[in-house]
Amino acid sequence: MLRAISAVITIMLAWPVMAAEPQAARSLRIGVLVAHTSPSGEASGDGSVLAARMAIEDFGGKMFGLPVAIVTGDHHNRPSVGTTIARRWLEHGGADVIIDVPNPAVADAVRLAVVKHDGLMILSQTGIRTNMECQSNIISWTFDGALVARGAIAAMRKHDMSSWLLLSPDTYQRANAAGAMLEIMREANVAVDDSHQFTFRNRGPMEEQTGNLAEKLLEHPSAVIALNAGPLATKAVTKRLQQELADRRLPRLYSPLYPVMGDSAPALAAIADELIYALPYQQDSPAVADFTQRFKSRADGRSPNVIQIGVYSAVRHYLRAVALLGSAQPGGQAGAAMQELPIDDPIFGAGTILPDGRRLGALEIMAHHPGITPDRILAHHAYDEKEAQEARARCGKNDAQ
């Protein structure tokens, strides 16, 4: 059991008292909104709370002479629960910033409350979104679906991986994301051989599936199969493909969620001869090794995943921005300060936060092969200044750095 948990529980129990303190006396509060149940519990959970605590400790533990506090909430993968927790924090001063929120449906619901109350939410991961708004209340730190997809496709195209096939669930939300993903592929000048949808329901049996999805995918042996799905849908289609493939494998699979699938990652990796994914940092860097070792010493030997490392990095950048402001400011002002402050992170390296809230930085494209360790570096995708210029022009900020 993490030693941090007892401290978190203490903070949670003390929250109503803390919320009633006079404004002049209260500490800066970081709210970590996670789920402790699968699937997003595997990606964040207690580990994200620990990562946030370590970032605060490494910053010195205090802001403006007062201890920086952590509050935590469990949204149980339910948007209504997440929104209730977030609204309580925002309306009663329970948290100055909301961190992580790994479930996309919960994040979308909480987003509305955050914008309404001029709060600040720093997301670990976001999918491929359309109609990006120019704002400073929502920061996408570790992964942004569109930026990762563009970077990964551009890097793989240099390795003659120019034939693609899109695989996505048939949900309304993912249908929009699939359309956006197809547009990204076309912009990258890669050939889209085909696209397939699989039936997915959050509840109910999966035995209703008809047809052999594996056979359809195997008809394109030279294509990179891009799996554009959330954690639950990824687990469901992995199980289905395991049964249909039997002792065969897909030639090449791209799954942006592979680094955060936790205990489900080995099954996903086993269905492809080559599984490609992206990391927002250099996996073998001394900074990653140092953080990993310190994290493991406090997490019963468990290594941090990419989401938890991202929480650590995001909290550090947030604290730097607040320190430069000189006082705890409303969420939108703190978010704007994060955007204006160049990223110089020991783990994530150099980068910037775009006017639409997305962190832009380098990517390392990795390839996993069953039975072979470690995973090899397929390509390094450098910081894309063109993406930054386009976002600044769209948001009327051509005079930005």
Side-chain angles (χ1 to χ4, degrees):
M1 183 65 65
L2 299 177
R3 293 204 297 268
I5 295 302
S6 61
V8 172
I9 293 173
T10 300
I11 291 169
M12 290 179 67
L13 292 174
W15 182 83
V17 176
M18 292 167 63
E21 292 174 0
Q23 179 70 21
R26 77 171 183 85
S27 301
L28 187 72
R29 297 171 188 145
I30 294 177
V32 186
L33 185 56
V34 296
H36 296 286
T37 54
S38 181
S40 57
E42 296 178 4
S44 58
D46 297 340
S48 285
V49 177
L50 173 58
R53 184 175 301 282
M54 291 175 64
I56 293 169
E57 292 169 355
D58 288 352
F59 194 79
K62 293 184 177 183
M63 182 69 71
F64 314 128
L66 294 171
V68 178
I70 288 181
V71 294
T72 184
D74 187 343
H75 58 63
H76 297 283
N77 291 308
R78 294 171 58 186
S80 60
V81 175
T83 302
T84 298
I85 295 171
R87 188 180 296 118
R88 186 177 70 227
W89 285 349
L90 292 164
E91 292 177 351
H92 301 286
D96 296 282
V97 61
I98 299 174
I99 299 281
D100 202 0
V101 202
N103 183 300
V106 175
D108 284 344
V110 172
R111 181 191 305 271
L112 299 177
V114 169
V115 173
K116 178 181 178 181
H117 292 85
D118 191 24
L120 176 62
M121 179 167 64
I122 306 176
L123 296 168
S124 291
Q125 57 181 341
T126 54
I128 298 174
R129 292 175 288 160
T130 57
N131 300 322
M132 296 297 302
E133 297 178 356
C134 303
Q135 50 77 37
S136 58
N137 296 97
I138 312 296
I139 303 295
S140 176
W141 186 266
T142 307
F143 279 123
D144 173 80
L147 294 179
V148 170
R150 287 193 181 97
I153 292 172
M156 286 186 274
R157 190 169 180 270
K158 295 178 181 177
H159 286 255
D160 296 325
M161 300 182 196
S162 56
S163 177
W164 287 69
L165 184 151
L166 181 63
L167 176 62
S168 58
D170 62 351
T171 60
Y172 174 78
Q173 182 182 29
R174 283 291 162 177
N176 291 337
M181 181 67 170
L182 286 170
E183 184 62 29
I184 289 172
M185 290 176 171
R186 295 187 184 101
E187 290 175 359
N189 294 318
V190 296
V192 182
D193 288 359
D194 205 348
S195 63
H196 292 287
Q197 291 186 330
F198 58 90
T199 302
F200 172 71
R201 301 293 178 266
N202 283 315
R203 294 181 175 85
M206 297 299 295
E207 285 73 24
E208 62 190 59
Q209 307 285 1
T210 58
N212 194 306
L213 178 62
E215 293 298 336
K216 295 177 182 177
L217 299 179
L218 290 170
E219 292 175 1
H220 306 270
S222 62
V224 179
I225 299 169
L227 177 55
N228 184 36
L232 279 173
T234 296
K235 291 178 70 172
V237 77
T238 297
K239 183 178 180 180
R240 176 180 175 182
L241 288 172
Q242 279 182 309
Q243 296 171 347
E244 294 180 357
L245 288 167
D247 58 349
R248 299 171 297 172
R249 292 194 184 104
L250 301 174
R252 184 174 283 147
L253 178 67
Y254 166 63
S255 174
L257 282 190
Y258 173 70
V260 302
M261 288 302 294
D263 294 339
S264 304
L268 178 60
I271 65 173
D273 286 327
E274 184 174 52
L275 187 142
I276 301 169
Y277 61 97
L279 290 176
Y281 50 76
Q282 293 184 347
Q283 193 169 26
D284 58 353
S285 72
V288 172
D290 174 72
F291 176 75
T292 298
Q293 188 61 37
R294 293 190 294 125
F295 184 98
K296 289 173 67 175
S297 70
R298 300 172 63 172
D300 298 332
R302 289 192 291 111
S303 295
N305 62 32
V306 64
I307 294 299
Q308 293 153 358
I309 294 174
V311 167
Y312 172 81
S313 175
V315 171
R316 284 174 55 97
H317 191 74
Y318 168 74
L319 292 174
R320 288 179 61 213
V322 173
L324 288 175
L325 284 172
S327 63
Q329 298 292 331
Q333 293 183 41
M338 290 182 68
Q339 290 173 322
E340 293 170 6
L341 180 64
I343 298 172
D344 184 16
D345 188 80
I347 293 178
F348 279 57
T352 188
I353 299 176
L354 302 179
D356 54 27
R358 299 178 296 164
R359 184 192 64 83
L360 179 63
L363 292 172
E364 202 156 74
I365 313 303
M366 308 295 294
H368 172 86
H369 299 268
I372 301 176
T373 56
D375 293 352
R376 70 186 178 96
I377 301 172
L378 185 67
H380 180 79
H381 181 70
Y383 174 99
D384 190 349
E385 181 59 30
K386 180 182 177 182
E387 189 88 43
Q389 291 172 353
E390 291 176 352
R392 290 166 186 156
R394 187 174 67 251
C395 294
K397 293 189 177 183
N398 292 312
D399 56 339
Q401 313 99 306

